[in-house]
């Protein structure tokens, strides 16, 4: 074993050396002259860059990013990505709002060369070099360029008025590394990968602009001006109006080395503040600048101190800041709350001092994770955004030990309402991760940026990665973790590290096998979930038996809490998934509490099973709390919530009651809710109840429901429904291949009880019927819409008074298309057949309870045949909408329908619809009218205006009131917000 361990360590060391020896990266040194025309919102410039081939390959081609062309039209990768997310601004923007780069004439060592667009993407140019570039050789490439600056609400490059965000603005060669060329289009979701080198940039613009930029300012007059402005008092009456531009122009020169990008920002209104910070490792001093608009002066008053805070913290934990200055500017940014560039960052609008501090810390921190450690953000985004999010949280916690989860987001008052006033700041990351992970909607951390769903891009790449590194830090301990991070920084600064590189560095520095972290936590969607099985007292102390209910044999911590304080914590190595292990903890006393993975910001997906007391009954049950409404999950409490319940239907009339539940955000593994209600006029107990278990992709539970479904002079009928169910949800696809699916099985047991009053003699009769329903969905999103297929099979068996059975097969296919402001066009096809001893007919539109064969849904008038209440519909039927009782028209046993609905181009929610139905031995029926889509799928009003003659012939319009024409959909089950959380 020792020989094997020695051999593996030796192999690791030499493989690291071998990797370093064979590592290469290209070098690009730029000289750029550019002029801003703030009347036309354009740039005109010339660029020359020297490209050094440090690889062992001979290069015969080159790819150059022309990222301003991402804003050119609706065919670019950026426009398509935004459209997939429902943002059609760029797709339909007027020409003045769009952007582009043109006037390009590439010369290679003075020789003019043509270029073509790579794979028809106009933001990537492909050049064939006139002469091959040998290993170690250099070439110079030059071109004039002209940029039309887009409106700033599209993405990162842009302007709002005369505030300019000049980013990804110049022709820049793609990276060439051991995997070849990386020509990547510009995207919002999924950032950048660029070569390191030097920049010499001269910017010409009207004299009264202030500029925040990458690099060191070399123009002495402007240095003096900024120093003067930094001590100028803020205006007494701040105004964000743009002053008139100077007629005279100025040229500012900036230089930078060991950077891989260059961004600059210009505004005439900025207040300038200057500071200085001393680096903790070297003692070197760094100049810091905050530039902000007068309207935000109060919020930005501490801007310099926030920059200094970030530089100090990151330098201490990772490595000293290598540049001489760092700037944060107040600007307009639509792609997130802020955006980073070497030595300069732009900050969008924030709503509190704490939020501004958080964003500045995060964006300044990107100087390390993106700027200095230049990973390929498109495929390894977690090495940039994720590790940086971890460091951001670490910095904020150190600066604000008292910080709570609500800080910067909700505020203290809302925190108290939700019962989260005592939850630590880092718990917000747990909530975001668990929100998706508990229902199986998460993705691996090691996922290409463009392959994340929009929700997982934030919850996994940022929050889960942040939790993961916090877990790793707690396991290694602060000192060892710092050593690992410093070693990673010193080895890979100004280079392009990969996941294998950071793993190798951390393992060699810590002398630990970290496969559980880098192979399982990072590369898979497996979860960590340890739970305490039992605690036994022994002669040596207490024996804690731990079970690994997760899928990763990660190390975990065992803590002892005494009188509300943690008195000891020790980390132990992991247990194989599905196994148990016992641990002796010597310092436990009677009455103490034992906790697993108790540190705030834990990656343990279910911490509610991580706590037990050493004495007393129900040791594993946390302290019980009862609060109003609902709240955020507190893993150290058994939370119960209550709220009043009021209901009405046409048979039970007004019902009063209360709901008791334990549902939280994120959803728990075990959930229940019970809502008993008392019908005042009918003097009966009714209501609903549900128990549900959620385990990643599988949901199982049972629902119960009791209401009255018909009352009359001679009859009073109620139903009791029991509905066990099981549902499997697929993984959702990426933002590109946006698809999802599920399959669900339901069992139904209904007991119908009727009480008949015949000459003051009451007869009670009952009928039972049971059934099974198997249903499913496949849904696929695409640019501008989605389609779905919903097949289902239903089988019913009746007993007692009515003997027989019914089987039904039906399916619907829906196509939804929307553009500009999400006005939708919906096309739907429905088909079904039913058979058996007692064929249950299909329904043209499913009004009242006619299409609800198992009493699944809630209706105001389930058994009504006329009037407004009879016109409540559900969308599980054909879609031929007509103001007439279903039964009086003779619904068929085989049928097919088509339905079309389209929003009309007005600001009001208004659409038109038409539907037609077909059945054997029946004439086609059709109807058309207008609709008000309040919230599609939940609440919608339909007014049929025209019908086929076979419908009109049996409708006596003389008896119709206005209410008889109105049909409405109201899916009351979806009022529960926790049903929405399961569908994330």
């Amino acid at each position: 074993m020792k020989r094997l361990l020695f051999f593996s360590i030796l192999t690791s060391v030499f493989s690291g050396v071998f990797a370093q020896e064979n590592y290469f990266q290209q070098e690009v040194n730029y000289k750029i002259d550019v002029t801003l025309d703030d009347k036309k919102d354009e740039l005109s410039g010339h660029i020359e860059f020297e490209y050094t081939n440090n690889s062992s390959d001979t290069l015969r081609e080159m790819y150059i990013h022309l990222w301003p062309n991402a804003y050119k039209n609706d065919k670019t990768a950026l426009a398509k990505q935004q459209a997939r997310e429902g943002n059609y601004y760029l797709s339909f923007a007027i020409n003045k709002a769009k952007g582009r780069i043109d006037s390009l004439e590439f010369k290679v060592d003075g020789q003019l060369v043509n270029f073509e667009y790579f794979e028809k993407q106009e933001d990537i140019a492909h050049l064939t070099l006139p002469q091959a570039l040998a290993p170690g050789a250099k070439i110079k490439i030059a071109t004039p360029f002209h940029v039309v600056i887009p409106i700033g609400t599209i993405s990162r490059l842009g302007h709002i008025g005369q505030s300019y965000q000049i980013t990804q603005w110049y022709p820049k060669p793609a990276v060439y590394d051991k995997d070849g060329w990386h020509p990547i289009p510009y995207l919002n979701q999924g950032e950048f990968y660029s070569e390191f080198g030097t920049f010499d940039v001269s910017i010409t613009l009207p004299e009264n602009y202030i500029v925040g930029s990458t690099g060191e300012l070399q123009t002495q007059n402007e240095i003096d001006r900024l120093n003067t402005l930094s001590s100028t008092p803020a205006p007494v009456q701040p105004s964000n109006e743009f002053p008139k531009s100077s007629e005279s122009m100025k040229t500012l020169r900036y230089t930078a080395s060991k950077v891989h990008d260059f961004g600059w920002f210009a505004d005439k209104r900025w207040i300038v503040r200057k500071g200085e910070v001393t680096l903790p490792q070297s003692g070197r001093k760094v100049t810091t600048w905050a530039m902000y608009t007068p309207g935000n002066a109060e919020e930005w008053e501490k801007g310099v101190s926030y920059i200094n805070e970030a530089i100090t913290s990151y330098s201490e934990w990772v490595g000293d800041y290598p540049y001489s200055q760092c700037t944060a500017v107040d600007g307009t940014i639509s792609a997130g709350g802020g955006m980073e560039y070497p030595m300069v960052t732009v900050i969008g609008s924030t709503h509190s001092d704490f939020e501004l501090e958080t964003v500045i810390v995060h964006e300044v921190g990107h100087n390390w994770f993106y700027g200095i450690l230049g990973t390929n953000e498109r495929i390894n985004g977690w090495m940039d955004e994720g590790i940086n999010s971890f460091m951001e949280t670490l910095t904020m916690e150190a600066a604000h030990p008292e910080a709570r989860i609500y800080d910067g987001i909700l505020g203290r008052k809302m925190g108290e309402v939700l019962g989260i006033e005592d939850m630590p700041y880092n718990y917000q990351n747990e909530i975001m991760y668990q929100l998706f992970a508990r229902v199986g909607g998460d993705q691996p951390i090691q996922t290409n940026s463009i392959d994340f769903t929009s929700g997982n891009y934030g919850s996994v790449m940022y929050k889960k990665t942040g939790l993961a590194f916090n877990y790793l830090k707690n396991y290694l301990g602060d000192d060892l973790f710092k050593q690992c991070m410093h070693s990673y920084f010193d080895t890979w600064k100004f280079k392009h590290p990969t996941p294998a590189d950071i793993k190798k560095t951390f393992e060699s520095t810590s002398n630990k096998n970290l496969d559980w972290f880098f192979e399982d936590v990072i590369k898979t969607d497996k979860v960590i979930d340890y739970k305490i099985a039992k605690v036994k007292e022994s002669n040596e102390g207490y024996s804690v038996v731990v079970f690994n209910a997760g899928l990763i044999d990660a190390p975990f911590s065992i803590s002892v809490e005494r009188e509300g304080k943690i008195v000891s914590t020790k980390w132990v190595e992991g247990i194989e998934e599905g196994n148990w292990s016992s641990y002796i903890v010597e310092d436990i006393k009677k009455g103490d509490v034992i906790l697993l993975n108790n540190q705030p910001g834990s990656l343990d997906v279910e911490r509610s099973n991580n706590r037990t007391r050493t004495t007393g009954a129900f040791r594993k049950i946390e302290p019980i709390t009862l609060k109003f409404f609902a709240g955020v999950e507190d893993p150290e409490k058994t939370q119960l919530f209550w709220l009043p319940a009021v209901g009405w239907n046409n048979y039970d009339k007004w019902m009063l009651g209360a709901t008791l539940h334990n549902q939280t955000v994120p959803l728990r593994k075990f959930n229940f809710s019970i809502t008993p209600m008392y019908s005042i006029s009918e003097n009966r107990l009714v209501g609903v109840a549900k128990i549900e278990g959620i385990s990643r992709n599988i949901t199982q539970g049972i629902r119960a429901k009791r209401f009255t479904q018909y009352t009359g002079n001679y009859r009073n009928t109620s139903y009791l429904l029991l509905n066990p169910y099981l549902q499997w949800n697929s993984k959702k696809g990426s933002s590109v291949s946006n698809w999802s699916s599920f399959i669900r099985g339901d069992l139904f047991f209904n007991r119908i009880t009727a009480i008949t009053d015949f000459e003051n003699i009451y007869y009670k009769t009952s009928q039972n019927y049971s059934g099974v329903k198997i249903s499913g969905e496949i849904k696929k999103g695409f640019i501008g819409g989605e389609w779905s297929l919903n097949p289902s099979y239903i089988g019913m068996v009746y007993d007692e008074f009515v003997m027989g059975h019914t089987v039904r097969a039906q399916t619907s296919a829906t196509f939804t298309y929307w553009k500009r402001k999400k006005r939708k066009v919906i096309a739907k096809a429905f088909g079904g057949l039913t058979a058996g001893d007692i064929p249950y007919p299909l329904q043209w539109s499913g009004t009242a309870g006619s299409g609800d064969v198992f009493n699944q849904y809630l209706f105001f008038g389930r058994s009504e045949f006329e009037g407004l209440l009879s016109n409540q519909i559900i969308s599980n039927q054909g879609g031929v909408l007509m103001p007439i009782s279903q039964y009086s028209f003779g619904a068929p046993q085989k049928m097919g329908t088509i339905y079309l609905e389209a929003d009309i181009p007005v600001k009001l929610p208004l659409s038109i619809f038409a539907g037609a139905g077909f059945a054997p031995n029946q004439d086609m029926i059709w109807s058309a009218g207008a609709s008000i889509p309040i919230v599609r799928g939940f609440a919608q009003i339909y007014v049929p205006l025209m019908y086929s003659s076979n419908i009109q012939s049996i409708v006596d319009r003389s008896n119709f009131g206005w209410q008889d024409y109105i049909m409405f959909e109201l899916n009351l089950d979806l009022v529960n917000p926790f049903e929405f959380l399961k569908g994330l």
Side-chain angles (χ1 to χ4, degrees), residues 132-145:
L133 183 63
K138 301 179 180 181
I139 56 172
K140 285 188 177 181
I141 297 180
T143 182
F145 65 93

Side-chain angles (χ1 to χ4, degrees), residues 8-25:
S8 64
I9 293 174
L10 198 64
T11 302
S12 175
V13 169
F14 277 101
S15 63
V17 172
F18 181 79
Q20 285 290 319
E21 288 179 350
N22 287 272
Y23 174 83
F24 74 89
Q25 67 185 54

Side-chain angles (χ1 to χ4, degrees), residues 493-512:
K493 59 185 176 183
F494 312 123
K495 296 179 182 179
H496 300 309
T498 67
D501 298 321
I502 187 172
K503 177 178 187 288
K504 195 173 297 178
T505 302
F506 267 68
E507 287 189 328
S508 61
T509 304
S510 67
N511 198 27
K512 290 181 179 291

